[in-house]
Amino acid sequence: EAGVVQSPRYKIIEKKQPVAFWCNPISGHNTLYWYRQNLGQGPELLIRYENEEAVDDSQLPKDRFSAERLKGVDSTLKIQPAELGDSAVYLCASSLTGQNTGELFFGEGSRLTVL
Amino acid sequence: DAKTTQPNSMESNEEEPVHLPCNHSTISGTDYIHWYRQLPSQGPEYVIHGLTSNVNNRMASLAIAEDRKSSTLILHRATLRDAAVYYCILRGNAGNMLTFGGGTRLMVKP
């Protein structure tokens, strides 16, 4: 079975440009997460979806970041315009809905470099 | 979620056991203890989790203190492939998510 798929793996852009990351979760997983990981730190949650509903987006910088999960399957995270401080790895994860015993499955991440 | 404290880094020799400690003195009764690890250039992967009793799986063992204020992840025989950052995470009922700390960077020497 395919794991969580993310694209692109790497992206280099200049500041003020837009960028988008795509995530396809494991089939049947209703919960989808976007995390951001800065160099040398642990991942930080940006947004969590239950099906197509964003149930926790308190850490998403809403002035420049947006996310969507149409039809409750794959998801897109967008940054517009990008700033130098947005350079990081953006990780997508999915899990079966509900319990705090469930396992999260992570993709390999999308590494963003903003010049 | 309650906070965990882990050493920044540890070293081990290949084929020897490794004990990775985690302190979580403010754990609540419903918090599960989860361990994930992150290999270089990859996303985190699940290792093991437990509530009160010690747990074993094919990857590792989890030893939980009787008062649940600390736990230890045990790799029985470290290999070079086990070199990674290991995260100890408490996961409560409020929200189906993981809150990562800084983790422990494990280095394995041949």
Side-chain angles (χ1 to χ4, degrees):
Chain A
E1 181 183 355
V4 175
V5 178
Q6 292 188 245
S7 68
R9 283 295 314 274
Y10 304 93
K11 188 74 175 179
I12 301 173
I13 61 172
E14 293 189 347
K15 62 181 180 182
K16 301 185 182 179
Q17 294 298 305
V19 63
F21 305 110
W22 175 80
C23 172
N24 191 30
I26 292 174
S27 177
H29 281 194
N30 296 324
T31 309
L32 184 146
Y33 314 75
W34 282 102
Y35 282 83
R36 177 172 60 188
Q37 185 170 26
N38 293 313
L39 189 65
Q41 298 181 20
E44 298 173 301
L45 181 71
L46 291 174
I47 190 168
R48 173 171 66 97
Y49 283 92
E50 295 287 349
N51 299 304
E52 64 274 8
E53 181 183 0
V55 296
D56 184 352
D57 63 354
S58 57
Q59 301 303 311
L60 189 72
K62 297 181 182 64
D63 57 336
R64 298 182 300 105
F65 285 65
S66 65
E68 61 182 13
R69 192 184 183 197
L70 301 176
K71 301 181 182 178
V73 182
D74 56 349
S75 176
T76 302
L77 177 69
K78 297 179 181 177
I79 309 173
Q80 182 170 11
E83 297 179 353
L84 295 177
D86 297 331
S87 296
V89 175
Y90 292 84
L91 293 160
C92 179
S94 69
S95 70
L96 293 173
T97 302
Q99 297 174 4
N100 56 0
T101 56
E103 178 181 348
L104 269 68
F105 294 83
F106 285 82
E108 292 185 302
S110 295
R111 180 178 297 275
L112 173 65
T113 301
V114 182
L115 303 176
Chain B
D1 292 322
K3 185 178 172 59
T4 63
T5 304
Q6 299 178 254
N8 289 333
S9 63
M10 292 184 63
E11 270 191 7
S12 171
N13 293 317
E14 195 177 13
E15 299 188 5
E16 290 185 356
V18 182
H19 291 230
L20 296 163
C22 181
N23 288 320
H24 29 78
S25 58
T26 60
I27 191 171
S28 72
T30 56
D31 285 342
Y32 279 80
I33 302 160
H34 287 249
W35 284 81
Y36 279 70
R37 73 178 186 181
Q38 188 171 21
L39 302 172
S41 301
Q42 295 189 23
E45 64 176 349
Y46 169 83
V47 177
I48 200 166
H49 78 276
L51 184 62
T52 56
S53 303
N54 295 343
V55 184
N56 299 296
N57 67 19
R58 64 174 179 82
M59 289 182 71
S61 295
L62 176 60
I64 301 172
E66 198 168 332
D67 63 5
R68 299 209 326 126
K69 293 185 177 181
S70 65
S71 60
T72 302
L73 179 71
I74 302 166
L75 307 180
H76 295 286
R77 208 163 147 269
T79 68
L80 296 178
R81 195 193 173 278
D82 291 322
V85 178
Y86 287 78
Y87 296 99
C88 169
I89 303 163
L90 300 184
R91 196 168 176 198
N93 287 328
N96 183 19
M97 60 187 183
L98 295 175
T99 302
F100 289 83
T104 296
R105 180 173 298 278
L106 175 66
M107 292 166 280
V108 180
K109 297 183 291 184

